[in-house]
Amino acid sequence: ETGVTQTPRHLVMGMTNKKSLKCEQHLGHNAMYWYKQSAKKPLELMFVYNFKEQTENNSVPSRFSPECPNSSHLFLHLHTLQPEDSALYLCASSQAFAPIIRNEQFFGPGTRLTVL
Amino acid sequence: KQEVTQIPAALSVPEGENLVLNCSFTDSAIYNLQWFRQDPGKGLTSLLLIQSSQREQTSGRLNASLDKSSGRSTLYIAASQPGDSATYLCAVTHRSEIQGAQKLVFGQGTRLTINP
């Protein structure tokens, strides 16, 4: 395990449910990210938060709603999802404004989401 | 738009062999390139980060090279072991999309199997 934790690790939900994914980083970073990893597709960036402010939203459907209450915690609220939203959702963190050429992202273990 | 391609998509070799994984990218305006390892159903572990001004990085049996002008990177694994079996992902960080946080563009990965 890394300094980035995610809960739950597995989630099964119906299309009418509302659930939330949680990410916490213990690395003192101040930028956090949500990624989606579907079968046979590259990792896709969904949201970026820098100092708790959202700076990137890659045309993600509104049924995904991020929340970043502080620089250590990141949530992804889910509602009325579709079966095609089933995927591994990964959280990552990095040190914003560190020299970018040396900057690394550290990833959590992911939440495996299945939408029935 | 940056595109990252990894070849081959899958590779199976006997234990002890040296092997090379390839990564290519279309836009050379990158800050750095990272190689990650992903075990089945798990998050990503960073293996090596090569800054845009560097040519290679080494960590143990791993050596990664970067030729920014030609848009290519290779990951060399020496004396492969069954424990090296995983999916290997490369990702580039963009110069033009920095807003105080990174934006990584990933390849689809190479699934490596080392046979005992």
Side-chain angles (χ1 to χ4, degrees):
Chain A
E1 294 283 58
T2 66
V4 181
T5 58
Q6 291 186 242
T7 55
R9 297 293 302 274
H10 300 272
L11 178 62
V12 179
M13 59 187 288
M15 293 195 292
T16 58
N17 292 158
K18 289 184 180 181
K19 297 286 184 183
S20 296
L21 310 184
K22 179 183 176 182
C23 175
E24 183 173 0
Q25 59 92 5
H26 312 275
L27 300 168
H29 290 162
N30 45 26
M32 297 188 77
Y33 312 77
W34 279 118
Y35 288 88
K36 176 183 178 181
Q37 188 175 36
S38 305
K40 301 184 180 180
K41 290 178 71 175
L43 264 157
E44 301 171 83
L45 178 66
M46 299 175 72
F47 299 103
V48 179
Y49 274 86
N50 176 28
F51 291 105
K52 300 186 298 179
E53 295 186 13
Q54 186 176 314
T55 62
E56 200 81 38
N57 173 354
N58 280 354
S59 303
V60 178
S62 60
R63 57 186 183 268
F64 296 91
S65 174
E67 178 190 1
C68 190
N70 55 61
S71 58
S72 298
H73 293 86
L74 183 65
F75 295 89
L76 188 62
H77 303 300
L78 316 170
H79 64 97
T80 59
L81 294 192
Q82 307 296 315
E84 60 263 29
D85 295 322
S86 299
L88 182 67
Y89 289 84
L90 292 163
C91 172
S93 70
S94 70
Q95 186 62 46
F97 299 113
I100 191 64
I101 60 172
R102 297 198 297 272
N103 209 346
E104 288 183 69
Q105 286 189 21
F106 293 83
F107 283 77
T111 295
R112 173 69 62 186
L113 174 66
T114 303
V115 182
L116 301 177
Chain B
K1 180 187 172 187
Q2 175 75 274
E3 291 185 4
V4 179
T5 303
Q6 290 187 246
I7 295 173
L11 181 64
S12 181
V13 300
E15 180 178 3
E17 281 202 4
N18 303 325
L19 57 98
V20 175
L21 307 182
N22 296 293
C23 172
S24 62
F25 47 95
T26 54
D27 184 348
S28 61
I30 62 170
Y31 272 122
N32 60 45
L33 183 145
Q34 290 183 248
W35 282 94
F36 294 89
R37 170 188 172 135
Q38 185 176 29
D39 292 287
K42 301 287 183 63
L44 277 62
T45 301
S46 180
L47 297 173
L48 290 164
L49 180 149
I50 311 177
Q51 300 174 27
S52 59
S53 58
Q54 297 176 326
R55 300 283 295 185
E56 65 178 333
Q57 282 287 327
T58 298
S59 175
R61 294 182 294 108
L62 304 180
N63 176 275
S65 68
L66 174 65
D67 184 342
K68 204 172 69 150
S69 61
S70 67
R72 287 193 240 179
S73 176
T74 60
L75 179 66
Y76 175 82
I77 302 177
S80 58
Q81 303 170 358
D84 295 331
S85 298
T87 296
Y88 290 80
L89 298 162
C90 74
V92 296
T93 302
H94 263 272
R95 186 183 297 275
S96 62
E97 297 174 36
I98 301 304
Q99 298 179 40
Q102 295 182 332
K103 185 169 181 178
L104 295 180
V105 179
F106 283 84
Q108 200 151 331
T110 293
R111 189 171 67 253
L112 177 64
T113 303
I114 307 298
N115 302 303

